[in-house]
Amino acid sequence: MAKEKILIIEDEPDIVRMLEYNLKKEGFRVVSAPDGQEGLRQARKQCPDIILLDLMLPEIDGLEVCRALRQERDTAGIPVIMLTAKGRESDKVVGLELGADDYITKPFSLGELIARVKAVLRRSRDKEKQPDIFKAGSLTIDFSKIKVSVGNKRLELTAKEFELLSALIKAKGRVLSRDYLLDNIWGFDNALEIQSRTVDVHIQTLRKKLKQEAKRIVTVKNYGYRFEIEE
Ligand code: CA
């Protein structure tokens, strides 16, 4: 297997040097960026397998970087571990809502960081093997047969509703923005007011059809939607 590539977005050179040295020793390829702007550029260019993202960055902060990563098709699936400062609990919550996979609090031990990196990479490899059947509560979806049912009742979904539901489920609990959904399901690349409404209208009809499982589609105010897998 090719060596996995890690992108470190961090403005403190000492931390970058220490991480680079030790992660390379673990057998990873490592690239780094000293600020958010450059981090986004590198994420697009390098296609890393995982990103270590410091939240306190000059210019664009880490949360903005995380949001931008999740909005772009090419970077939306890259796992992100946030490096947060102690006592910034709210950052952690926002970061996880924006789709970060894990976080680690500074100062961290190297052993812990490497263990987290490996665990997140393992999860992301498993995720690529998407099974044909997905179940959550009384909801069952057969992706290969394009069949959706709640309990033993089969639902009649339109093609767009099915795509919308599939995209939300495949995001595994991550928030997908309206812009992302418009772009990926409808193929609109500029979100005018009326087009953003398209997503909302389809979510409404989808929720109605999902009956008791409707609550799994969670609205993230002024942003988008996510699918709640847990009960
Ligand atoms: Ca920093």
Side-chain angles (χ1 to χ4, degrees), residues 40-149:
L40 284 171
R41 212 171 7 249
Q42 293 294 333
R44 293 181 197 116
K45 198 176 112 194
Q46 304 272 357
C47 302
D49 296 290
I50 187 167
I51 297 173
L52 294 179
L53 175 62
D54 183 34
L55 288 191
M56 304 277 273
L57 289 168
E59 325 244 335
I60 336 177
D61 74 15
L63 290 176
E64 282 307 312
V65 173
C66 190
R67 193 195 303 272
L69 288 169
R70 289 298 171 245
Q71 268 173 339
E72 289 179 35
R73 191 191 312 233
D74 294 343
T75 57
I78 304 172
V80 172
I81 299 181
M82 303 181 296
L83 307 177
T84 68
K86 222 180 183 159
R88 309 260 311 183
E89 253 55 38
S90 58
D91 284 352
K92 261 182 248 176
V93 174
V94 176
L96 293 174
E97 274 178 3
L98 286 178
D101 295 79
D102 202 355
Y103 63 86
I104 195 160
T105 309
K106 286 178 177 178
F108 49 82
S109 86
L110 193 61
E112 189 191 359
L113 180 105
I114 289 170
R116 296 283 186 95
V117 165
K118 288 182 176 168
V120 169
L121 282 171
R122 202 159 44 234
R123 283 211 303 267
S124 124
R125 278 194 298 268
D126 292 344
K127 191 153 56 174
E128 281 164 17
K129 298 184 228 122
Q130 178 86 34
D132 282 347
I133 308 270
F134 170 87
K135 282 178 197 269
S138 58
L139 177 71
T140 306
I141 299 183
D142 187 328
F143 289 107
S144 61
K145 295 187 183 137
I146 316 190
K147 267 167 61 179
V148 182
S149 51

Side-chain angles (χ1 to χ4, degrees), residues 141 143 146 148 156-169 176 180-188 195 197-207 209-210 217:
I141 299 183
F143 289 107
I146 316 190
V148 182
E156 298 293 333
L157 300 189
T158 65
K160 291 295 179 216
E161 287 165 356
F162 183 81
E163 282 181 56
L164 193 54
L165 182 61
S166 302
L168 288 167
I169 287 170
L176 298 180
Y180 176 89
L181 291 167
L182 272 174
D183 188 24
N184 284 273
I185 295 174
W186 282 269
F188 299 144
Q195 293 172 337
R197 289 261 315 140
T198 307
V199 177
D200 300 338
V201 167
H202 279 76
I203 290 279
Q204 269 175 38
T205 59
L206 187 56
R207 276 188 179 135
K209 292 181 183 179
L210 288 175
I217 299 178

Side-chain angles (χ1 to χ4, degrees), residues 28-45:
F28 294 104
R29 285 179 294 164
V30 183
V31 286
S32 66
D35 61 63
Q37 197 75 269
E38 181 60 19
L40 284 171
R41 212 171 7 249
Q42 293 294 333
R44 293 181 197 116
K45 198 176 112 194

